[in-house]
Amino acid sequence: MLAATVPMVRTLDLAFGEITPERAVAHLPDQAAYHNHVGGPHAGAMFTLAESASGAIVLAAFGEQLTRAVPLAAGAEIRYRKLALGPVTATAVLGRPAAEVVAELDAGTRPEFPVHVEITREDGAVTGEMTVVWTLRPNS
């Protein structure tokens, strides 16, 4: 669904592995066109990878709510930890129980919830960490 609705997913040729309501995994292949000045994936490409993994888990966890609310990223913070070279993987985990978020939506509020993402290179080293704060905006 993300590749069909989010052009950047197609542009960067992102691939998705496991996607459940608790965890989502996305992969960015090594592509020279998206390298930075030191030969690794550009920071913007890694940001997009991590944000896309967070979006995948949001769709998996809250897909049943799409008829009454729109998921929106409300903010994001990323920290680059180590040099990323070659393909990288983003693993996203939901920061709050989905049932708790849905209960807030049921109560008429606009819930916010974090999704934590770890970006790793092939050797398992963590190259970045990101937290995306999402909201479910009720349809008017």
Side-chain angles (χ1 to χ4, degrees), residues 31-101:
Q31 301 169 89
Y34 303 112
H35 281 177
N36 58 21
H37 62 289
V38 293
H42 188 277
M46 290 194 301
F47 183 99
T48 301
L49 170 70
E51 195 273 344
S52 297
S54 78
I57 198 170
V58 168
L59 290 176
F62 303 106
E64 293 178 1
Q65 309 307 318
L66 295 181
T67 58
R68 65 183 185 134
V70 176
L72 298 170
E77 182 177 323
I78 191 165
R79 298 202 41 96
Y80 301 102
R81 300 287 185 196
K82 289 188 178 189
L83 182 62
L85 294 171
V88 290
T89 298
T91 303
V93 295
L94 201 56
R96 288 180 58 200
E100 187 178 286
V101 175

